PDB file of all heavy atoms in Angstrom:
ATOM      1  N   THR A  14       3.669  14.642 -11.212  1.00 46.00           N
ATOM      2  CA  THR A  14       4.152  14.645 -12.587  1.00 46.00           C
ATOM      3  C   THR A  14       3.114  15.173 -13.537  1.00 46.00           C
ATOM      4  O   THR A  14       3.411  15.871 -14.499  1.00 46.00           O
ATOM      5  CB  THR A  14       4.551  13.219 -13.025  1.00 46.00           C
ATOM      6  OG1 THR A  14       5.489  12.722 -12.112  1.00 46.00           O
ATOM      7  CG2 THR A  14       5.166  13.247 -14.399  1.00 46.00           C
ATOM      8  N   PRO A  17      -0.945  20.328 -13.925  1.00 46.00           N
ATOM      9  CA  PRO A  17      -1.611  20.992 -15.050  1.00 46.00           C
ATOM     10  C   PRO A  17      -0.879  22.182 -15.637  1.00 46.00           C
ATOM     11  O   PRO A  17      -1.377  22.851 -16.524  1.00 46.00           O
ATOM     12  CB  PRO A  17      -2.947  21.430 -14.410  1.00 46.00           C
ATOM     13  CG  PRO A  17      -2.654  21.484 -12.942  1.00 46.00           C
ATOM     14  CD  PRO A  17      -1.643  20.469 -12.651  1.00 46.00           C
ATOM     15  N   ASN A  24       6.343  13.201 -18.156  1.00 60.00           N
ATOM     16  CA  ASN A  24       7.258  12.123 -17.746  1.00 60.00           C
ATOM     17  C   ASN A  24       6.729  10.764 -18.158  1.00 60.00           C
ATOM     18  O   ASN A  24       5.684  10.302 -17.648  1.00 60.00           O
ATOM     19  CB  ASN A  24       7.447  12.206 -16.234  1.00 60.00           C
ATOM     20  CG  ASN A  24       8.562  11.305 -15.742  1.00 60.00           C
ATOM     21  OD1 ASN A  24       8.945  10.332 -16.438  1.00 60.00           O
ATOM     22  ND2 ASN A  24       9.082  11.612 -14.624  1.00 60.00           N
ATOM     23  N   SER A  41      -6.290  -0.878  -5.436  1.00 75.00           N
ATOM     24  CA  SER A  41      -7.483  -0.497  -4.755  1.00 75.00           C
ATOM     25  C   SER A  41      -8.345   0.430  -5.610  1.00 75.00           C
ATOM     26  O   SER A  41      -7.866   1.101  -6.532  1.00 75.00           O
ATOM     27  CB  SER A  41      -7.167   0.191  -3.434  1.00 75.00           C
ATOM     28  OG  SER A  41      -6.479   1.367  -3.690  1.00 75.00           O
ATOM     29  N   SER A 127     -23.703   7.916 -26.909  1.00 64.00           N
ATOM     30  CA  SER A 127     -23.299   9.155 -26.147  1.00 64.00           C
ATOM     31  C   SER A 127     -22.229   9.975 -26.890  1.00 64.00           C
ATOM     32  O   SER A 127     -22.061  11.155 -26.586  1.00 64.00           O
ATOM     33  CB  SER A 127     -22.801   8.722 -24.777  1.00 64.00           C
ATOM     34  OG  SER A 127     -21.584   8.009 -24.860  1.00 64.00           O
ATOM     35  N   GLY A 141      -9.792  16.486 -44.107  1.00 76.00           N
ATOM     36  CA  GLY A 141      -8.756  16.326 -45.088  1.00 76.00           C
ATOM     37  C   GLY A 141      -7.597  15.426 -44.613  1.00 76.00           C
ATOM     38  O   GLY A 141      -6.661  15.194 -45.365  1.00 76.00           O
ATOM     39  N   GLU A 212     -30.381  -0.557 -55.016  1.00 85.00           N
ATOM     40  CA  GLU A 212     -30.233  -0.039 -56.392  1.00 85.00           C
ATOM     41  C   GLU A 212     -29.162   1.044 -56.400  1.00 85.00           C
ATOM     42  O   GLU A 212     -28.296   1.084 -57.345  1.00 85.00           O
ATOM     43  CB  GLU A 212     -31.523   0.505 -56.922  1.00 85.00           C
ATOM     44  CG  GLU A 212     -32.505  -0.564 -57.407  1.00 85.00           C
ATOM     45  CD  GLU A 212     -33.637  -0.010 -58.233  1.00 85.00           C
ATOM     46  OE1 GLU A 212     -33.988   1.186 -57.989  1.00 85.00           O
ATOM     47  OE2 GLU A 212     -34.161  -0.708 -59.057  1.00 85.00           O
ATOM     48  N   LEU A 239     -24.168  -9.036 -54.085  1.00 90.00           N
ATOM     49  CA  LEU A 239     -25.107  -8.886 -52.933  1.00 90.00           C
ATOM     50  C   LEU A 239     -26.371  -8.077 -53.365  1.00 90.00           C
ATOM     51  O   LEU A 239     -27.461  -8.456 -53.028  1.00 90.00           O
ATOM     52  CB  LEU A 239     -24.393  -8.250 -51.798  1.00 90.00           C
ATOM     53  CG  LEU A 239     -25.248  -7.987 -50.533  1.00 90.00           C
ATOM     54  CD1 LEU A 239     -25.795  -9.312 -49.989  1.00 90.00           C
ATOM     55  CD2 LEU A 239     -24.408  -7.284 -49.467  1.00 90.00           C
ATOM     56  N   ASP A 270     -10.777 -10.899 -65.321  1.00 88.00           N
ATOM     57  CA  ASP A 270      -9.901  -9.848 -64.728  1.00 88.00           C
ATOM     58  C   ASP A 270      -8.492 -10.401 -64.469  1.00 88.00           C
ATOM     59  O   ASP A 270      -8.334 -11.651 -64.266  1.00 88.00           O
ATOM     60  CB  ASP A 270     -10.526  -9.396 -63.396  1.00 88.00           C
ATOM     61  CG  ASP A 270      -9.854  -8.136 -62.897  1.00 88.00           C
ATOM     62  OD1 ASP A 270      -8.843  -8.249 -62.116  1.00 88.00           O
ATOM     63  OD2 ASP A 270     -10.342  -7.034 -63.156  1.00 88.00           O
ATOM     64  N   GLY A 390     -33.251 -32.791 -58.276  1.00 84.00           N
ATOM     65  CA  GLY A 390     -33.815 -33.513 -59.394  1.00 84.00           C
ATOM     66  C   GLY A 390     -33.363 -32.950 -60.747  1.00 84.00           C
ATOM     67  O   GLY A 390     -34.114 -33.113 -61.743  1.00 84.00           O
ATOM     68  N   ASN A 437     -21.351 -53.196 -59.721  1.00 91.00           N
ATOM     69  CA  ASN A 437     -20.033 -53.883 -59.740  1.00 91.00           C
ATOM     70  C   ASN A 437     -18.908 -52.972 -59.362  1.00 91.00           C
ATOM     71  O   ASN A 437     -17.963 -53.390 -58.673  1.00 91.00           O
ATOM     72  CB  ASN A 437     -19.803 -54.420 -61.224  1.00 91.00           C
ATOM     73  CG  ASN A 437     -20.759 -55.534 -61.531  1.00 91.00           C
ATOM     74  OD1 ASN A 437     -21.243 -56.287 -60.657  1.00 91.00           O
ATOM     75  ND2 ASN A 437     -21.009 -55.770 -62.794  1.00 91.00           N
ATOM     76  N   ALA A 476     -30.478 -65.393 -57.129  1.00 85.00           N
ATOM     77  CA  ALA A 476     -31.178 -66.617 -56.652  1.00 85.00           C
ATOM     78  C   ALA A 476     -30.836 -67.817 -57.542  1.00 85.00           C
ATOM     79  O   ALA A 476     -30.625 -68.932 -57.036  1.00 85.00           O
ATOM     80  CB  ALA A 476     -32.663 -66.365 -56.600  1.00 85.00           C
ATOM     81  N   ALA A 495     -22.146 -60.205 -50.185  1.00 81.00           N
ATOM     82  CA  ALA A 495     -22.832 -59.387 -49.166  1.00 81.00           C
ATOM     83  C   ALA A 495     -23.388 -58.122 -49.790  1.00 81.00           C
ATOM     84  O   ALA A 495     -24.527 -57.720 -49.542  1.00 81.00           O
ATOM     85  CB  ALA A 495     -21.859 -59.089 -48.040  1.00 81.00           C
ATOM     86  N   SER A 507     -37.738 -51.162 -48.170  1.00 80.00           N
ATOM     87  CA  SER A 507     -38.154 -49.738 -48.157  1.00 80.00           C
ATOM     88  C   SER A 507     -39.658 -49.589 -48.393  1.00 80.00           C
ATOM     89  O   SER A 507     -40.303 -48.772 -47.760  1.00 80.00           O
ATOM     90  CB  SER A 507     -37.374 -48.931 -49.141  1.00 80.00           C
ATOM     91  OG  SER A 507     -36.046 -49.047 -48.895  1.00 80.00           O
ATOM     92  N   ARG A 558     -40.963 -64.364 -34.021  1.00 60.00           N
ATOM     93  CA  ARG A 558     -41.644 -64.574 -32.744  1.00 60.00           C
ATOM     94  C   ARG A 558     -40.941 -65.545 -31.844  1.00 60.00           C
ATOM     95  O   ARG A 558     -41.020 -65.494 -30.624  1.00 60.00           O
ATOM     96  CB  ARG A 558     -43.083 -65.038 -33.014  1.00 60.00           C
ATOM     97  CG  ARG A 558     -43.166 -66.378 -33.760  1.00 60.00           C
ATOM     98  CD  ARG A 558     -44.579 -66.837 -34.027  1.00 60.00           C
ATOM     99  NE  ARG A 558     -44.666 -68.038 -34.792  1.00 60.00           N
ATOM    100  CZ  ARG A 558     -44.649 -68.106 -36.088  1.00 60.00           C
ATOM    101  NH1 ARG A 558     -44.540 -66.973 -36.817  1.00 60.00           N
ATOM    102  NH2 ARG A 558     -44.732 -69.234 -36.723  1.00 60.00           N
ATOM    103  N   GLU A 563     -35.327 -64.573 -26.709  1.00 59.00           N
ATOM    104  CA  GLU A 563     -33.913 -64.711 -26.555  1.00 59.00           C
ATOM    105  C   GLU A 563     -33.205 -63.346 -26.751  1.00 59.00           C
ATOM    106  O   GLU A 563     -32.261 -62.969 -26.030  1.00 59.00           O
ATOM    107  CB  GLU A 563     -33.368 -65.738 -27.487  1.00 59.00           C
ATOM    108  CG  GLU A 563     -33.807 -67.145 -27.281  1.00 59.00           C
ATOM    109  CD  GLU A 563     -33.070 -67.765 -26.054  1.00 59.00           C
ATOM    110  OE1 GLU A 563     -32.106 -67.158 -25.629  1.00 59.00           O
ATOM    111  OE2 GLU A 563     -33.478 -68.822 -25.601  1.00 59.00           O
ATOM    112  N   ILE A 569     -29.098 -59.056 -29.698  1.00 57.00           N
ATOM    113  CA  ILE A 569     -29.293 -59.590 -31.054  1.00 57.00           C
ATOM    114  C   ILE A 569     -28.430 -60.741 -31.394  1.00 57.00           C
ATOM    115  O   ILE A 569     -28.888 -61.821 -31.777  1.00 57.00           O
ATOM    116  CB  ILE A 569     -29.078 -58.403 -32.095  1.00 57.00           C
ATOM    117  CG1 ILE A 569     -30.182 -57.410 -32.049  1.00 57.00           C
ATOM    118  CG2 ILE A 569     -28.909 -59.011 -33.506  1.00 57.00           C
ATOM    119  CD1 ILE A 569     -31.469 -57.807 -32.722  1.00 57.00           C
ATOM    120  N   LYS A 682     -19.812 -81.773 -20.370  1.00 84.00           N
ATOM    121  CA  LYS A 682     -19.808 -83.198 -20.068  1.00 84.00           C
ATOM    122  C   LYS A 682     -20.820 -83.945 -20.984  1.00 84.00           C
ATOM    123  O   LYS A 682     -20.520 -85.009 -21.492  1.00 84.00           O
ATOM    124  CB  LYS A 682     -20.176 -83.433 -18.606  1.00 84.00           C
ATOM    125  CG  LYS A 682     -20.154 -84.903 -18.191  1.00 84.00           C
ATOM    126  CD  LYS A 682     -20.425 -85.054 -16.692  1.00 84.00           C
ATOM    127  CE  LYS A 682     -21.799 -84.589 -16.367  1.00 84.00           C
ATOM    128  NZ  LYS A 682     -22.120 -84.860 -14.908  1.00 84.00           N
ATOM    129  N   LYS A 712     -11.062-104.360 -26.657  1.00 77.00           N
ATOM    130  CA  LYS A 712     -10.317-103.504 -25.726  1.00 77.00           C
ATOM    131  C   LYS A 712     -10.651-102.035 -25.939  1.00 77.00           C
ATOM    132  O   LYS A 712     -10.797-101.230 -25.014  1.00 77.00           O
ATOM    133  CB  LYS A 712      -8.822-103.649 -25.930  1.00 77.00           C
ATOM    134  CG  LYS A 712      -8.287-104.988 -25.362  1.00 77.00           C
ATOM    135  CD  LYS A 712      -6.789-105.077 -25.667  1.00 77.00           C
ATOM    136  CE  LYS A 712      -6.294-106.456 -25.135  1.00 77.00           C
ATOM    137  NZ  LYS A 712      -4.806-106.606 -25.402  1.00 77.00           N
ATOM    138  N   SER A 728     -25.528 -94.472 -20.654  1.00 84.00           N
ATOM    139  CA  SER A 728     -26.829 -94.509 -21.340  1.00 84.00           C
ATOM    140  C   SER A 728     -27.250 -95.953 -21.584  1.00 84.00           C
ATOM    141  O   SER A 728     -26.453 -96.894 -21.389  1.00 84.00           O
ATOM    142  CB  SER A 728     -26.742 -93.779 -22.707  1.00 84.00           C
ATOM    143  OG  SER A 728     -25.863 -94.486 -23.533  1.00 84.00           O
ATOM    144  N   VAL A 787      17.504 -80.250 -56.090  1.00 87.00           N
ATOM    145  CA  VAL A 787      18.416 -81.146 -56.867  1.00 87.00           C
ATOM    146  C   VAL A 787      17.808 -82.536 -56.786  1.00 87.00           C
ATOM    147  O   VAL A 787      17.658 -83.070 -55.668  1.00 87.00           O
ATOM    148  CB  VAL A 787      19.866 -81.116 -56.340  1.00 87.00           C
ATOM    149  CG1 VAL A 787      20.733 -82.100 -57.135  1.00 87.00           C
ATOM    150  CG2 VAL A 787      20.400 -79.716 -56.405  1.00 87.00           C
ATOM    151  N   TRP A 797       5.717 -71.280 -41.898  1.00 91.00           N
ATOM    152  CA  TRP A 797       5.223 -70.534 -40.661  1.00 91.00           C
ATOM    153  C   TRP A 797       4.041 -71.354 -40.150  1.00 91.00           C
ATOM    154  O   TRP A 797       3.080 -71.575 -40.876  1.00 91.00           O
ATOM    155  CB  TRP A 797       4.779 -69.170 -41.055  1.00 91.00           C
ATOM    156  CG  TRP A 797       5.878 -68.133 -41.164  1.00 91.00           C
ATOM    157  CD1 TRP A 797       6.442 -67.677 -42.292  1.00 91.00           C
ATOM    158  CD2 TRP A 797       6.559 -67.469 -40.116  1.00 91.00           C
ATOM    159  NE1 TRP A 797       7.422 -66.792 -42.081  1.00 91.00           N
ATOM    160  CE2 TRP A 797       7.536 -66.605 -40.682  1.00 91.00           C
ATOM    161  CE3 TRP A 797       6.482 -67.515 -38.701  1.00 91.00           C
ATOM    162  CZ2 TRP A 797       8.369 -65.813 -39.961  1.00 91.00           C
ATOM    163  CZ3 TRP A 797       7.336 -66.696 -37.969  1.00 91.00           C
ATOM    164  CH2 TRP A 797       8.265 -65.861 -38.594  1.00 91.00           C
ATOM    165  N   VAL A 823       6.952 -85.573 -40.235  1.00 90.00           N
ATOM    166  CA  VAL A 823       7.950 -84.862 -39.405  1.00 90.00           C
ATOM    167  C   VAL A 823       7.276 -84.493 -38.134  1.00 90.00           C
ATOM    168  O   VAL A 823       6.230 -83.787 -38.135  1.00 90.00           O
ATOM    169  CB  VAL A 823       8.513 -83.599 -40.089  1.00 90.00           C
ATOM    170  CG1 VAL A 823       9.468 -82.874 -39.174  1.00 90.00           C
ATOM    171  CG2 VAL A 823       9.207 -83.989 -41.424  1.00 90.00           C
ATOM    172  N   LEU A 825       6.343 -82.619 -34.783  1.00 90.00           N
ATOM    173  CA  LEU A 825       6.407 -81.196 -34.373  1.00 90.00           C
ATOM    174  C   LEU A 825       6.572 -81.173 -32.858  1.00 90.00           C
ATOM    175  O   LEU A 825       5.642 -81.481 -32.106  1.00 90.00           O
ATOM    176  CB  LEU A 825       5.123 -80.463 -34.794  1.00 90.00           C
ATOM    177  CG  LEU A 825       4.897 -80.368 -36.306  1.00 90.00           C
ATOM    178  CD1 LEU A 825       3.559 -79.637 -36.602  1.00 90.00           C
ATOM    179  CD2 LEU A 825       6.016 -79.746 -37.032  1.00 90.00           C
ATOM    180  N   SER A 840       8.510 -70.789 -36.739  1.00 89.00           N
ATOM    181  CA  SER A 840       9.024 -70.774 -38.098  1.00 89.00           C
ATOM    182  C   SER A 840      10.095 -71.831 -38.218  1.00 89.00           C
ATOM    183  O   SER A 840      11.012 -71.908 -37.360  1.00 89.00           O
ATOM    184  CB  SER A 840       9.640 -69.419 -38.412  1.00 89.00           C
ATOM    185  OG  SER A 840      10.252 -69.374 -39.688  1.00 89.00           O
TER     186      SER A 840
END
Side-chain angles (χ1 to χ4, degrees):
T14 305
N24 190 337
S41 64
S127 67
E212 282 195 330
L239 177 60
D270 193 271
N437 291 335
S507 301
R558 60 180 178 274
E563 293 285 348
I569 288 282
K682 182 176 65 175
K712 287 179 182 179
S728 67
V787 177
W797 281 100
V823 177
L825 299 178
S840 173

